[in-house]
Amino acid sequence: MDHPHIDQASGGRGEEQETREKILSAARQLMAQKGYKGATTRKISELAGVNEVTIFRHFKTKVAILEELLKDVLDVREQLAQGLQGEFANVKEMLITYARTYYHLLVERKEILMICIVEADNYPEVVKLFSSLPMTAVDVLSAKLAEFQEQGHLPKSDPCTAALMFISTFFYAFMAKYRVSLDAPIINDEEQLYEHASEILLEGIKRA
């Protein structure tokens, strides 16, 4: 037996979700380019192809849109942990894989991160959200390095400091490329950066 009313309801929810995603996508793009204030609801509605009434039906305020966008910044721990799963031939291979995973997460979220930078002075809570991504990456890597030390694969040292130095390298490279537009060979050759940073970190741990 057909249940057209169920199909219609399901279709309605699908359309509403699609509209919501269009609004968020337009807001993300405009806020990254123009900042929070510059991305007016009128401009968001024009880019999303909906009217302003529709925007406020989905989000009570423009701040609510920003908060929804920033949630993506926090959702990285599981993806970072997945980058450390499996067997690695050596610690260097693990570090390169983790560096690649982390850097790709930054690039995938570059529009959101640019919003955080623009609005850091206006919204103090944004600073916390902005810093949560690299600090989560440090936390996950630090735990893995400590595990390798316990297994005898690495000399004893401070895993947190080592992880912080490693993650800072890629965060700086990301900011230099996407915020400052710095054109440098080592920043543009990401795979080389992963390998060299991993080698330097391991050499530093061995000498510590």
Side-chain angles (χ1 to χ4, degrees):
M1 178 181 290
D2 293 331
H3 298 280
H5 63 286
I6 295 178
D7 292 338
Q8 289 172 4
S10 177
R13 286 195 298 272
E15 290 176 4
E16 287 295 292
Q17 184 61 33
E18 184 179 349
T19 299
R20 183 182 179 87
E21 291 301 323
K22 285 181 179 178
I23 294 169
L24 289 172
S25 178
R28 182 186 300 111
Q29 181 178 334
L30 287 169
M31 287 183 185
Q33 295 172 349
K34 303 177 181 298
Y36 177 75
K37 291 183 180 179
T40 63
T41 53
R42 180 179 63 79
K43 291 178 181 177
I44 292 172
S45 70
E46 290 174 355
L47 186 58
V50 301
N51 57 47
E52 287 186 84
V53 173
T54 300
I55 290 178
F56 289 115
R57 189 175 76 245
H58 285 270
F59 303 95
K60 292 183 179 180
T61 64
K62 195 171 76 166
V63 174
I65 299 177
L66 177 61
E67 290 174 347
E68 184 71 20
L69 290 173
L70 292 179
K71 288 180 182 178
D72 290 342
V73 178
L74 297 175
D75 187 24
V76 295
R77 183 175 292 273
E78 183 177 347
Q79 289 166 278
L80 288 167
Q82 287 176 351
L84 292 176
Q85 291 179 357
E87 297 294 327
F88 298 99
N90 49 53
V91 179
K92 179 182 174 182
E93 182 184 329
M94 179 276 291
L95 289 171
I96 291 174
T97 299
Y98 190 73
R100 187 182 296 116
T101 300
Y102 171 63
Y103 194 81
H104 286 180
L105 285 173
L106 290 175
V107 174
E108 287 170 2
R109 289 159 171 74
K110 62 179 180 293
E111 290 181 334
I112 298 294
L113 294 174
M114 292 308 110
I115 294 170
C116 290
I117 293 170
V118 171
E119 295 304 326
D121 290 338
N122 299 321
Y123 299 93
E125 63 271 21
V126 169
V127 177
K128 184 177 180 180
L129 287 168
F130 181 72
S131 63
S132 69
L133 196 157
M135 293 314 297
T136 298
V138 169
D139 186 42
V140 172
L141 180 58
S142 176
K144 188 66 175 182
L145 291 175
E147 179 185 322
F148 273 24
Q149 289 174 352
E150 290 299 322
Q151 295 171 350
H153 299 309
L154 280 174
K156 292 288 186 179
S157 63
D158 180 1
C160 186
T161 299
L164 182 60
M165 292 174 64
F166 191 68
I167 292 303
S168 296
T169 298
F170 302 105
F171 193 74
Y172 169 79
F174 167 78
M175 293 293 290
K177 183 173 183 177
Y178 292 99
R179 179 62 177 174
V180 185
S181 300
L182 182 63
D183 186 16
I186 191 61
I187 291 175
N188 292 324
D189 190 342
E190 295 163 7
E191 289 298 323
Q192 186 180 61
L193 181 62
Y194 304 151
E195 182 169 354
H196 287 181
S198 298
E199 290 173 350
I200 292 170
L201 180 69
L202 289 174
E203 187 63 28
I205 291 176
K206 290 175 182 177
R207 294 185 177 185

